[in-house]
mmCIF file of all heavy atoms in Angstrom:
data_model
loop_
_atom_site.group_PDB
_atom_site.id
_atom_site.type_symbol
_atom_site.label_atom_id
_atom_site.label_comp_id
_atom_site.label_asym_id
_atom_site.label_seq_id
_atom_site.Cartn_x
_atom_site.Cartn_y
_atom_site.Cartn_z
ATOM 1 N N VAL A 16 22.286 -22.598 -2.402
ATOM 2 C CA VAL A 16 21.836 -23.877 -2.934
ATOM 3 C C VAL A 16 20.476 -23.750 -3.610
ATOM 4 O O VAL A 16 20.092 -24.595 -4.426
ATOM 5 C CB VAL A 16 21.800 -24.938 -1.807
ATOM 6 C CG1 VAL A 16 20.598 -24.700 -0.890
ATOM 7 C CG2 VAL A 16 21.781 -26.345 -2.390
ATOM 8 N N ARG A 17 19.735 -22.657 -3.276
ATOM 9 C CA ARG A 17 18.421 -22.462 -3.903
ATOM 10 C C ARG A 17 18.531 -21.824 -5.290
ATOM 11 O O ARG A 17 17.544 -21.742 -6.007
ATOM 12 C CB ARG A 17 17.538 -21.609 -2.991
ATOM 13 C CG ARG A 17 17.107 -22.314 -1.702
ATOM 14 C CD ARG A 17 16.042 -21.530 -0.957
ATOM 15 N NE ARG A 17 16.561 -20.273 -0.424
ATOM 16 C CZ ARG A 17 17.180 -20.153 0.748
ATOM 17 N NH1 ARG A 17 17.346 -21.228 1.514
ATOM 18 N NH2 ARG A 17 17.624 -18.989 1.163
ATOM 19 N N ASP A 18 19.737 -21.377 -5.621
ATOM 20 C CA ASP A 18 19.957 -20.809 -6.955
ATOM 21 C C ASP A 18 19.953 -21.966 -7.961
ATOM 22 O O ASP A 18 20.753 -22.899 -7.845
ATOM 23 C CB ASP A 18 21.315 -20.093 -6.984
ATOM 24 C CG ASP A 18 21.572 -19.372 -8.300
ATOM 25 O OD1 ASP A 18 21.180 -19.904 -9.358
ATOM 26 O OD2 ASP A 18 22.162 -18.288 -8.266
ATOM 27 N N PRO A 19 19.072 -21.943 -8.959
ATOM 28 C CA PRO A 19 18.990 -23.051 -9.924
ATOM 29 C C PRO A 19 20.305 -23.330 -10.633
ATOM 30 O O PRO A 19 20.640 -24.489 -10.899
ATOM 31 C CB PRO A 19 17.921 -22.583 -10.923
ATOM 32 C CG PRO A 19 17.157 -21.525 -10.226
ATOM 33 C CD PRO A 19 18.089 -20.886 -9.257
ATOM 34 N N LEU A 20 21.076 -22.268 -10.925
ATOM 35 C CA LEU A 20 22.346 -22.471 -11.626
ATOM 36 C C LEU A 20 23.386 -23.097 -10.702
ATOM 37 O O LEU A 20 24.180 -23.936 -11.119
ATOM 38 C CB LEU A 20 22.849 -21.142 -12.190
ATOM 39 C CG LEU A 20 21.986 -20.526 -13.301
ATOM 40 C CD1 LEU A 20 22.602 -19.228 -13.792
ATOM 41 C CD2 LEU A 20 21.807 -21.497 -14.452
ATOM 42 N N ALA A 21 23.387 -22.683 -9.441
ATOM 43 C CA ALA A 21 24.322 -23.277 -8.475
ATOM 44 C C ALA A 21 23.987 -24.750 -8.278
ATOM 45 O O ALA A 21 24.876 -25.618 -8.252
ATOM 46 C CB ALA A 21 24.244 -22.529 -7.152
ATOM 47 N N ALA A 22 22.702 -25.047 -8.128
ATOM 48 C CA ALA A 22 22.272 -26.434 -7.949
ATOM 49 C C ALA A 22 22.634 -27.271 -9.169
ATOM 50 O O ALA A 22 23.069 -28.429 -9.051
ATOM 51 C CB ALA A 22 20.761 -26.477 -7.704
ATOM 52 N N ALA A 23 22.472 -26.664 -10.352
ATOM 53 C CA ALA A 23 22.791 -27.393 -11.588
ATOM 54 C C ALA A 23 24.271 -27.742 -11.657
ATOM 55 O O ALA A 23 24.653 -28.827 -12.105
ATOM 56 C CB ALA A 23 22.378 -26.561 -12.802
ATOM 57 N N GLU A 24 25.140 -26.828 -11.193
ATOM 58 C CA GLU A 24 26.580 -27.088 -11.233
ATOM 59 C C GLU A 24 26.988 -28.190 -10.255
ATOM 60 O O GLU A 24 27.839 -29.021 -10.551
ATOM 61 C CB GLU A 24 27.350 -25.806 -10.918
ATOM 62 C CG GLU A 24 27.534 -24.894 -12.110
ATOM 63 C CD GLU A 24 28.279 -25.580 -13.243
ATOM 64 O OE1 GLU A 24 29.473 -25.895 -13.087
ATOM 65 O OE2 GLU A 24 27.661 -25.807 -14.298
ATOM 66 N N ILE A 25 26.385 -28.176 -9.061
ATOM 67 C CA ILE A 25 26.668 -29.246 -8.097
ATOM 68 C C ILE A 25 26.222 -30.592 -8.674
ATOM 69 O O ILE A 25 26.941 -31.596 -8.595
ATOM 70 C CB ILE A 25 25.957 -28.966 -6.753
ATOM 71 C CG1 ILE A 25 26.581 -27.756 -6.069
ATOM 72 C CG2 ILE A 25 26.038 -30.190 -5.847
ATOM 73 C CD1 ILE A 25 25.902 -27.360 -4.772
ATOM 74 N N LEU A 26 25.045 -30.601 -9.258
ATOM 75 C CA LEU A 26 24.512 -31.833 -9.843
ATOM 76 C C LEU A 26 25.397 -32.326 -10.979
ATOM 77 O O LEU A 26 25.638 -33.530 -11.115
ATOM 78 C CB LEU A 26 23.091 -31.590 -10.346
ATOM 79 C CG LEU A 26 22.355 -32.812 -10.914
ATOM 80 C CD1 LEU A 26 22.129 -33.846 -9.820
ATOM 81 C CD2 LEU A 26 21.031 -32.399 -11.534
ATOM 82 N N LYS A 27 25.905 -31.390 -11.770
ATOM 83 C CA LYS A 27 26.786 -31.763 -12.881
ATOM 84 C C LYS A 27 28.043 -32.454 -12.362
ATOM 85 O O LYS A 27 28.489 -33.468 -12.907
ATOM 86 C CB LYS A 27 27.153 -30.516 -13.682
ATOM 87 C CG LYS A 27 28.093 -30.785 -14.857
ATOM 88 C CD LYS A 27 28.459 -29.480 -15.542
ATOM 89 C CE LYS A 27 29.493 -29.718 -16.637
ATOM 90 N NZ LYS A 27 29.913 -28.437 -17.272
ATOM 91 N N PHE A 28 28.625 -31.893 -11.297
ATOM 92 C CA PHE A 28 29.835 -32.500 -10.724
ATOM 93 C C PHE A 28 29.545 -33.908 -10.211
ATOM 94 O O PHE A 28 30.312 -34.847 -10.442
ATOM 95 C CB PHE A 28 30.363 -31.627 -9.591
ATOM 96 C CG PHE A 28 31.651 -32.132 -8.990
ATOM 97 C CD1 PHE A 28 32.875 -31.719 -9.464
ATOM 98 C CD2 PHE A 28 31.628 -33.056 -7.932
ATOM 99 C CE1 PHE A 28 34.052 -32.197 -8.918
ATOM 100 C CE2 PHE A 28 32.794 -33.538 -7.383
ATOM 101 C CZ PHE A 28 34.018 -33.108 -7.877
ATOM 102 N N LEU A 29 28.423 -34.071 -9.514
ATOM 103 C CA LEU A 29 28.063 -35.373 -8.937
ATOM 104 C C LEU A 29 27.723 -36.403 -10.000
ATOM 105 O O LEU A 29 27.943 -37.605 -9.810
ATOM 106 C CB LEU A 29 26.863 -35.204 -7.998
ATOM 107 C CG LEU A 29 27.095 -34.396 -6.723
ATOM 108 C CD1 LEU A 29 25.769 -34.131 -6.032
ATOM 109 C CD2 LEU A 29 28.058 -35.134 -5.794
ATOM 110 N N SER A 30 27.207 -35.944 -11.134
ATOM 111 C CA SER A 30 26.693 -36.861 -12.148
ATOM 112 C C SER A 30 27.690 -37.192 -13.243
ATOM 113 O O SER A 30 27.718 -38.332 -13.738
ATOM 114 C CB SER A 30 25.435 -36.271 -12.799
ATOM 115 O OG SER A 30 24.443 -36.001 -11.839
ATOM 116 N N LEU A 31 28.510 -36.219 -13.648
ATOM 117 C CA LEU A 31 29.282 -36.388 -14.875
ATOM 118 C C LEU A 31 30.783 -36.226 -14.723
ATOM 119 O O LEU A 31 31.520 -36.468 -15.677
ATOM 120 C CB LEU A 31 28.778 -35.386 -15.930
ATOM 121 C CG LEU A 31 27.272 -35.433 -16.244
ATOM 122 C CD1 LEU A 31 26.906 -34.325 -17.212
ATOM 123 C CD2 LEU A 31 26.869 -36.786 -16.806
ATOM 124 N N SER A 32 31.262 -35.825 -13.554
ATOM 125 C CA SER A 32 32.705 -35.627 -13.388
ATOM 126 C C SER A 32 33.401 -36.965 -13.165
ATOM 127 O O SER A 32 32.765 -38.014 -13.019
ATOM 128 C CB SER A 32 32.972 -34.705 -12.197
ATOM 129 O OG SER A 32 32.724 -35.389 -10.974
ATOM 130 N N ASN A 33 34.728 -36.905 -13.110
ATOM 131 C CA ASN A 33 35.507 -38.119 -12.833
ATOM 132 C C ASN A 33 35.279 -38.639 -11.414
ATOM 133 O O ASN A 33 35.628 -39.776 -11.104
ATOM 134 C CB ASN A 33 37.002 -37.839 -13.034
ATOM 135 C CG ASN A 33 37.344 -37.586 -14.490
ATOM 136 O OD1 ASN A 33 36.665 -38.079 -15.385
ATOM 137 N ND2 ASN A 33 38.390 -36.807 -14.731
ATOM 138 N N HIS A 34 34.713 -37.787 -10.559
ATOM 139 C CA HIS A 34 34.450 -38.171 -9.164
ATOM 140 C C HIS A 34 32.963 -38.443 -8.947
ATOM 141 O O HIS A 34 32.462 -38.313 -7.831
ATOM 142 C CB HIS A 34 34.919 -37.062 -8.219
ATOM 143 C CG HIS A 34 36.335 -36.634 -8.444
ATOM 144 N ND1 HIS A 34 37.416 -37.380 -8.052
ATOM 145 C CD2 HIS A 34 36.842 -35.535 -9.070
ATOM 146 C CE1 HIS A 34 38.531 -36.758 -8.396
ATOM 147 N NE2 HIS A 34 38.212 -35.639 -9.016
ATOM 148 N N ARG A 35 32.286 -38.825 -9.993
ATOM 149 C CA ARG A 35 30.833 -38.977 -9.951
ATOM 150 C C ARG A 35 30.379 -39.886 -8.809
ATOM 151 O O ARG A 35 31.045 -40.864 -8.465
ATOM 152 C CB ARG A 35 30.316 -39.531 -11.279
ATOM 153 C CG ARG A 35 30.955 -40.843 -11.680
ATOM 154 C CD ARG A 35 30.409 -41.341 -13.000
ATOM 155 N NE ARG A 35 29.015 -41.714 -12.872
ATOM 156 C CZ ARG A 35 28.251 -42.041 -13.898
ATOM 157 N NH1 ARG A 35 28.740 -42.043 -15.111
ATOM 158 N NH2 ARG A 35 27.009 -42.378 -13.711
ATOM 159 N N ASP A 36 29.233 -39.533 -8.249
ATOM 160 C CA ASP A 36 28.608 -40.332 -7.198
ATOM 161 C C ASP A 36 27.110 -40.296 -7.477
ATOM 162 O O ASP A 36 26.401 -39.377 -7.072
ATOM 163 C CB ASP A 36 28.927 -39.748 -5.822
ATOM 164 C CG ASP A 36 28.415 -40.626 -4.676
ATOM 165 O OD1 ASP A 36 27.397 -41.322 -4.883
ATOM 166 O OD2 ASP A 36 29.014 -40.589 -3.590
ATOM 167 N N VAL A 37 26.622 -41.303 -8.192
ATOM 168 C CA VAL A 37 25.233 -41.264 -8.665
ATOM 169 C C VAL A 37 24.230 -41.344 -7.517
ATOM 170 O O VAL A 37 23.118 -40.798 -7.619
ATOM 171 C CB VAL A 37 24.969 -42.389 -9.705
ATOM 172 C CG1 VAL A 37 25.727 -42.128 -10.985
ATOM 173 C CG2 VAL A 37 25.334 -43.752 -9.139
ATOM 174 N N ASN A 38 24.599 -42.009 -6.438
ATOM 175 C CA ASN A 38 23.687 -42.081 -5.302
ATOM 176 C C ASN A 38 23.524 -40.696 -4.657
ATOM 177 O O ASN A 38 22.413 -40.255 -4.333
ATOM 178 C CB ASN A 38 24.211 -43.084 -4.277
ATOM 179 C CG ASN A 38 23.196 -43.392 -3.190
ATOM 180 O OD1 ASN A 38 21.994 -43.497 -3.462
ATOM 181 N ND2 ASN A 38 23.662 -43.514 -1.962
ATOM 182 N N TYR A 39 24.624 -39.992 -4.496
ATOM 183 C CA TYR A 39 24.624 -38.626 -3.983
ATOM 184 C C TYR A 39 23.833 -37.724 -4.936
ATOM 185 O O TYR A 39 23.019 -36.890 -4.520
ATOM 186 C CB TYR A 39 26.083 -38.162 -3.861
ATOM 187 C CG TYR A 39 26.333 -36.873 -3.118
ATOM 188 C CD1 TYR A 39 27.638 -36.546 -2.737
ATOM 189 C CD2 TYR A 39 25.321 -35.963 -2.802
ATOM 190 C CE1 TYR A 39 27.917 -35.360 -2.065
ATOM 191 C CE2 TYR A 39 25.589 -34.782 -2.134
ATOM 192 C CZ TYR A 39 26.891 -34.480 -1.772
ATOM 193 O OH TYR A 39 27.163 -33.302 -1.112
ATOM 194 N N ALA A 40 24.070 -37.912 -6.248
ATOM 195 C CA ALA A 40 23.381 -37.099 -7.255
ATOM 196 C C ALA A 40 21.873 -37.313 -7.182
ATOM 197 O O ALA A 40 21.088 -36.355 -7.284
ATOM 198 C CB ALA A 40 23.890 -37.455 -8.648
ATOM 199 N N ARG A 41 21.474 -38.548 -6.997
ATOM 200 C CA ARG A 41 20.039 -38.875 -6.909
ATOM 201 C C ARG A 41 19.396 -38.140 -5.722
ATOM 202 O O ARG A 41 18.322 -37.548 -5.848
ATOM 203 C CB ARG A 41 19.873 -40.387 -6.769
ATOM 204 C CG ARG A 41 18.433 -40.865 -6.804
ATOM 205 C CD ARG A 41 18.315 -42.319 -6.402
ATOM 206 N NE ARG A 41 18.852 -43.227 -7.407
ATOM 207 C CZ ARG A 41 19.926 -43.988 -7.223
ATOM 208 N NH1 ARG A 41 20.605 -43.923 -6.067
ATOM 209 N NH2 ARG A 41 20.338 -44.808 -8.162
ATOM 210 N N LYS A 42 20.064 -38.184 -4.575
ATOM 211 C CA LYS A 42 19.529 -37.533 -3.372
ATOM 212 C C LYS A 42 19.520 -36.015 -3.516
ATOM 213 O O LYS A 42 18.568 -35.339 -3.106
ATOM 214 C CB LYS A 42 20.351 -37.938 -2.150
ATOM 215 C CG LYS A 42 20.223 -39.411 -1.781
ATOM 216 C CD LYS A 42 21.149 -39.780 -0.628
ATOM 217 C CE LYS A 42 21.031 -41.262 -0.279
ATOM 218 N NZ LYS A 42 21.976 -41.636 0.792
ATOM 219 N N PHE A 43 20.585 -35.464 -4.114
ATOM 220 C CA PHE A 43 20.669 -34.022 -4.285
ATOM 221 C C PHE A 43 19.576 -33.527 -5.239
ATOM 222 O O PHE A 43 18.924 -32.509 -4.994
ATOM 223 C CB PHE A 43 22.045 -33.628 -4.822
ATOM 224 C CG PHE A 43 22.226 -32.147 -5.004
ATOM 225 C CD1 PHE A 43 22.528 -31.338 -3.924
ATOM 226 C CD2 PHE A 43 22.071 -31.557 -6.250
ATOM 227 C CE1 PHE A 43 22.677 -29.961 -4.075
ATOM 228 C CE2 PHE A 43 22.210 -30.193 -6.418
ATOM 229 C CZ PHE A 43 22.516 -29.397 -5.333
ATOM 230 N N PHE A 44 19.371 -34.262 -6.330
ATOM 231 C CA PHE A 44 18.367 -33.850 -7.310
ATOM 232 C C PHE A 44 16.973 -33.822 -6.679
ATOM 233 O O PHE A 44 16.161 -32.939 -6.979
ATOM 234 C CB PHE A 44 18.381 -34.804 -8.510
ATOM 235 C CG PHE A 44 17.398 -34.441 -9.588
ATOM 236 C CD1 PHE A 44 17.666 -33.414 -10.477
ATOM 237 C CD2 PHE A 44 16.191 -35.121 -9.701
ATOM 238 C CE1 PHE A 44 16.754 -33.073 -11.472
ATOM 239 C CE2 PHE A 44 15.270 -34.785 -10.685
ATOM 240 C CZ PHE A 44 15.558 -33.758 -11.576
ATOM 241 N N ALA A 45 16.706 -34.790 -5.791
ATOM 242 C CA ALA A 45 15.388 -34.863 -5.150
ATOM 243 C C ALA A 45 15.110 -33.631 -4.283
ATOM 244 O O ALA A 45 13.947 -33.305 -4.006
ATOM 245 C CB ALA A 45 15.290 -36.124 -4.308
ATOM 246 N N GLN A 46 16.171 -32.915 -3.859
ATOM 247 C CA GLN A 46 16.009 -31.746 -2.995
ATOM 248 C C GLN A 46 15.887 -30.435 -3.774
ATOM 249 O O GLN A 46 15.604 -29.392 -3.189
ATOM 250 C CB GLN A 46 17.190 -31.653 -2.024
ATOM 251 C CG GLN A 46 17.244 -32.808 -1.035
ATOM 252 C CD GLN A 46 18.498 -32.778 -0.181
ATOM 253 O OE1 GLN A 46 19.349 -31.910 -0.352
ATOM 254 N NE2 GLN A 46 18.608 -33.713 0.751
ATOM 255 N N ILE A 47 16.121 -30.493 -5.108
ATOM 256 C CA ILE A 47 15.987 -29.280 -5.914
ATOM 257 C C ILE A 47 14.498 -28.982 -6.078
ATOM 258 O O ILE A 47 13.737 -29.828 -6.567
ATOM 259 C CB ILE A 47 16.665 -29.452 -7.291
ATOM 260 C CG1 ILE A 47 18.165 -29.741 -7.117
ATOM 261 C CG2 ILE A 47 16.474 -28.193 -8.138
ATOM 262 C CD1 ILE A 47 18.898 -30.009 -8.418
ATOM 263 N N HIS A 48 14.072 -27.781 -5.696
ATOM 264 C CA HIS A 48 12.642 -27.453 -5.681
ATOM 265 C C HIS A 48 12.048 -27.459 -7.085
ATOM 266 O O HIS A 48 11.086 -28.175 -7.366
ATOM 267 C CB HIS A 48 12.429 -26.087 -5.020
ATOM 268 C CG HIS A 48 10.981 -25.652 -5.004
ATOM 269 N ND1 HIS A 48 9.976 -26.434 -4.453
ATOM 270 C CD2 HIS A 48 10.376 -24.529 -5.487
ATOM 271 C CE1 HIS A 48 8.808 -25.819 -4.594
ATOM 272 N NE2 HIS A 48 9.023 -24.662 -5.218
ATOM 273 N N GLU A 49 12.582 -26.673 -7.984
ATOM 274 C CA GLU A 49 12.102 -26.648 -9.359
ATOM 275 C C GLU A 49 13.308 -26.752 -10.286
ATOM 276 O O GLU A 49 13.847 -25.746 -10.746
ATOM 277 C CB GLU A 49 11.315 -25.357 -9.641
ATOM 278 C CG GLU A 49 9.959 -25.303 -8.966
ATOM 279 C CD GLU A 49 9.159 -24.072 -9.398
ATOM 280 O OE1 GLU A 49 9.693 -23.253 -10.190
ATOM 281 O OE2 GLU A 49 8.019 -23.929 -8.943
ATOM 282 N N PRO A 50 13.760 -27.980 -10.568
ATOM 283 C CA PRO A 50 14.943 -28.148 -11.415
ATOM 284 C C PRO A 50 14.718 -27.552 -12.803
ATOM 285 O O PRO A 50 13.631 -27.694 -13.375
ATOM 286 C CB PRO A 50 15.138 -29.670 -11.478
ATOM 287 C CG PRO A 50 13.864 -30.259 -11.017
ATOM 288 C CD PRO A 50 13.174 -29.265 -10.154
ATOM 289 N N ASN A 51 15.753 -26.882 -13.307
ATOM 290 C CA ASN A 51 15.646 -26.340 -14.657
ATOM 291 C C ASN A 51 15.951 -27.433 -15.681
ATOM 292 O O ASN A 51 16.279 -28.568 -15.325
ATOM 293 C CB ASN A 51 16.567 -25.127 -14.837
ATOM 294 C CG ASN A 51 18.031 -25.476 -14.570
ATOM 295 O OD1 ASN A 51 18.411 -26.641 -14.568
ATOM 296 N ND2 ASN A 51 18.839 -24.452 -14.325
ATOM 297 N N CYS A 52 15.867 -27.109 -16.955
ATOM 298 C CA CYS A 52 16.065 -28.109 -18.008
ATOM 299 C C CYS A 52 17.471 -28.696 -17.959
ATOM 300 O O CYS A 52 17.667 -29.893 -18.174
ATOM 301 C CB CYS A 52 15.801 -27.471 -19.375
ATOM 302 S SG CYS A 52 15.667 -28.680 -20.710
ATOM 303 N N PHE A 53 18.462 -27.837 -17.637
ATOM 304 C CA PHE A 53 19.840 -28.312 -17.547
ATOM 305 C C PHE A 53 19.974 -29.396 -16.478
ATOM 306 O O PHE A 53 20.655 -30.408 -16.680
ATOM 307 C CB PHE A 53 20.770 -27.131 -17.235
ATOM 308 C CG PHE A 53 22.209 -27.509 -17.133
ATOM 309 C CD1 PHE A 53 23.011 -27.624 -18.256
ATOM 310 C CD2 PHE A 53 22.787 -27.777 -15.887
ATOM 311 C CE1 PHE A 53 24.343 -27.990 -18.158
ATOM 312 C CE2 PHE A 53 24.120 -28.141 -15.776
ATOM 313 C CZ PHE A 53 24.898 -28.243 -16.916
ATOM 314 N N SER A 54 19.315 -29.209 -15.340
ATOM 315 C CA SER A 54 19.394 -30.189 -14.254
ATOM 316 C C SER A 54 18.726 -31.502 -14.657
ATOM 317 O O SER A 54 19.240 -32.592 -14.385
ATOM 318 C CB SER A 54 18.748 -29.634 -12.986
ATOM 319 O OG SER A 54 19.490 -28.543 -12.485
ATOM 320 N N TRP A 55 17.549 -31.394 -15.283
ATOM 321 C CA TRP A 55 16.881 -32.612 -15.751
ATOM 322 C C TRP A 55 17.776 -33.356 -16.748
ATOM 323 O O TRP A 55 17.948 -34.583 -16.650
ATOM 324 C CB TRP A 55 15.545 -32.263 -16.423
ATOM 325 C CG TRP A 55 14.413 -32.004 -15.485
ATOM 326 C CD1 TRP A 55 13.827 -30.804 -15.205
ATOM 327 C CD2 TRP A 55 13.700 -32.981 -14.703
ATOM 328 N NE1 TRP A 55 12.806 -30.949 -14.299
ATOM 329 C CE2 TRP A 55 12.702 -32.293 -13.975
ATOM 330 C CE3 TRP A 55 13.808 -34.361 -14.539
ATOM 331 C CZ2 TRP A 55 11.818 -32.930 -13.110
ATOM 332 C CZ3 TRP A 55 12.927 -35.003 -13.680
ATOM 333 C CH2 TRP A 55 11.957 -34.298 -12.974
ATOM 334 N N ASN A 56 18.320 -32.618 -17.692
ATOM 335 C CA ASN A 56 19.175 -33.252 -18.706
ATOM 336 C C ASN A 56 20.405 -33.899 -18.076
ATOM 337 O O ASN A 56 20.847 -34.971 -18.494
ATOM 338 C CB ASN A 56 19.615 -32.222 -19.746
ATOM 339 C CG ASN A 56 18.476 -31.752 -20.621
ATOM 340 O OD1 ASN A 56 17.398 -32.348 -20.623
ATOM 341 N ND2 ASN A 56 18.702 -30.685 -21.379
ATOM 342 N N THR A 57 20.940 -33.231 -17.053
ATOM 343 C CA THR A 57 22.139 -33.748 -16.388
ATOM 344 C C THR A 57 21.866 -35.077 -15.701
ATOM 345 O O THR A 57 22.632 -36.043 -15.861
ATOM 346 C CB THR A 57 22.664 -32.735 -15.352
ATOM 347 O OG1 THR A 57 23.010 -31.519 -16.016
ATOM 348 C CG2 THR A 57 23.881 -33.276 -14.629
ATOM 349 N N VAL A 58 20.792 -35.158 -14.941
ATOM 350 C CA VAL A 58 20.515 -36.388 -14.202
ATOM 351 C C VAL A 58 20.094 -37.510 -15.154
ATOM 352 O O VAL A 58 20.439 -38.685 -14.950
ATOM 353 C CB VAL A 58 19.455 -36.138 -13.103
ATOM 354 C CG1 VAL A 58 18.047 -36.004 -13.682
ATOM 355 C CG2 VAL A 58 19.514 -37.234 -12.052
ATOM 356 N N ILE A 59 19.364 -37.176 -16.216
ATOM 357 C CA ILE A 59 18.991 -38.197 -17.214
ATOM 358 C C ILE A 59 20.238 -38.727 -17.912
ATOM 359 O O ILE A 59 20.410 -39.944 -18.078
ATOM 360 C CB ILE A 59 17.998 -37.609 -18.241
ATOM 361 C CG1 ILE A 59 16.640 -37.366 -17.584
ATOM 362 C CG2 ILE A 59 17.835 -38.546 -19.439
ATOM 363 C CD1 ILE A 59 15.663 -36.580 -18.443
#
């Protein structure tokens, strides 16, 4: 989960998939230590 790319993929599923859960995505993003640009773009 500390891998930025792994975290980005989980965030993508929570934010943009057909099974999106924005509340879950919000909480997950808050736990990413140093989100990369892809993660920021995904949550925005």
Side-chain angles (χ1 to χ4, degrees):
V16 75
R17 291 190 292 274
D18 185 323
L20 294 181
E24 277 301 293
I25 292 177
L26 184 65
K27 179 183 175 183
F28 183 91
L29 293 171
S30 302
L31 305 176
S32 73
N33 292 333
H34 308 285
R35 56 180 293 172
D36 186 331
V37 292
N38 190 39
Y39 191 167
R41 186 191 289 114
K42 293 175 181 177
F43 181 80
F44 181 78
Q46 295 174 358
I47 300 176
H48 178 55
E49 288 186 358
N51 59 18
C52 192
F53 180 83
S54 293
W55 280 108
N56 291 347
T57 299
V58 75
I59 290 170

